Amino acid sequence: MKKTKIIAFIVLVIVVLLWGVAPVMAKMIYDTEPPLFSPGILTAMRGLFAVIAMALFINKGFKKVNKSYLICIPAGLILAAAYIFQFVGLKYTDPSKNTFLENVSCITIPIFMFLFAREKPTWPSIIAALICVVGSIFLMGNGFNILHFFEGGSLLGDGLSAIGGLFFGLDIAFTKVFCKDKDPLLYVFFQLCVTTVVSFIYTFAFEGPVFHEFNFTSNVLAILEVVFLGVVCMAVCWVARAWSMKFIDAVTVSILVPLSAVVATSLSIYTGIEHFNLNLLIGGLIILLSIAISAIFDYRKECREKHNNQEESPHEENQCEL
């Protein structure tokens, strides 16, 4: 079992690295002249390749599907909004801000958990949300001159990225409340199916003949990049994350996965896409602090609930101590 945990941890680290690479690759696709793909079609194609790959992987698992999986339709609409806002936002901002602002999900999770399940937000979750807001403000700022704090920034891209993060939070809360009994791979697969369809509709409606924002290339290398983003960074990573979570405690996953923003930031600065500044450092650290606070207290709460609902062995109790 210990060996399996080590392998699961390594797999999760690889997932974090790949999720850090994905926004940098997407930004490079946008920054060519002309852009290789527009955000809508890039999101749609990623989803399409991911769905094909997951369908081959699931194979006989589709026998489990029943009417209860219709819940994946609203879940997919929520995830589609998250991805579209995130990747449209990426077009107008830096990969570092885009990935860090995705973590404003910690603001909406307690709100929607209360609306969906009447689960009152805890003080730690409220504090974590407020800290996340402060970090986001620093992240979007440009220097420390209060009168010119937001000048020179990319408020459109930052704002869209933050909205994407809010929808990711809604997706997490929705999944926790309404999809506990679903097979995680089937649930993600059907979510991505809906996300892909919505992304194609968005592409036609907002990038097509009316708005003339559509970009698409038949370049083989560019299409292979999209295949990599869809199959590896989306399908394989989702499956690998689901498998890893069976063997790694929740607090490790909750803190480790958001570090993909650190990977994206480092890679983006290294490749010259963006430049280092104090706002990025301070804002990113504050957001990571809010994630750590939220993850640790959520984990301890979950352990207390398990302790109250069932008799645990001493070994299980020790796993919950933090």
Side-chain angles (χ1 to χ4, degrees), residues 1-11 243 247-248:
M1 180 62 75
K2 186 175 180 180
K3 185 179 178 181
T4 305
K5 284 187 176 182
I6 293 172
I7 294 172
F9 182 82
I10 293 171
V11 167
W243 177 80
F247 307 100
I248 300 176

Side-chain angles (χ1 to χ4, degrees), residues 229-280:
L229 288 171
V231 175
V232 178
C233 296
M234 189 176 280
V236 173
C237 282
W238 274 108
V239 173
R241 179 176 177 267
W243 177 80
S244 298
M245 288 179 69
K246 294 180 180 179
F247 307 100
I248 300 176
D249 59 80
V251 70
T252 302
V253 176
S254 299
I255 294 176
L256 191 59
V257 170
L259 290 179
S260 58
V262 177
V263 176
T265 300
S266 303
L267 188 58
S268 182
I269 293 173
Y270 176 77
T271 55
I273 294 176
E274 59 184 294
H275 302 288
F276 173 83
N277 61 70
L278 283 177
N279 287 75
L280 175 59

Side-chain angles (χ1 to χ4, degrees), residues 181-242:
D181 59 337
K182 303 294 179 291
D183 180 290
L185 294 183
L186 287 174
Y187 176 72
V188 171
F189 171 79
F190 288 119
Q191 258 198 313
L192 290 178
C193 285
V194 176
T195 296
T196 301
V197 171
V198 172
S199 297
F200 274 114
I201 294 172
Y202 170 87
T203 300
F204 179 79
F206 295 100
E207 294 180 350
V210 177
F211 293 93
H212 303 289
E213 294 288 331
F214 181 77
N215 294 107
F216 181 86
T217 181
S218 58
N219 181 280
V220 176
L221 288 177
I223 292 176
L224 286 176
E225 284 185 45
V226 181
V227 171
F228 176 81
L229 288 171
V231 175
V232 178
C233 296
M234 189 176 280
V236 173
C237 282
W238 274 108
V239 173
R241 179 176 177 267

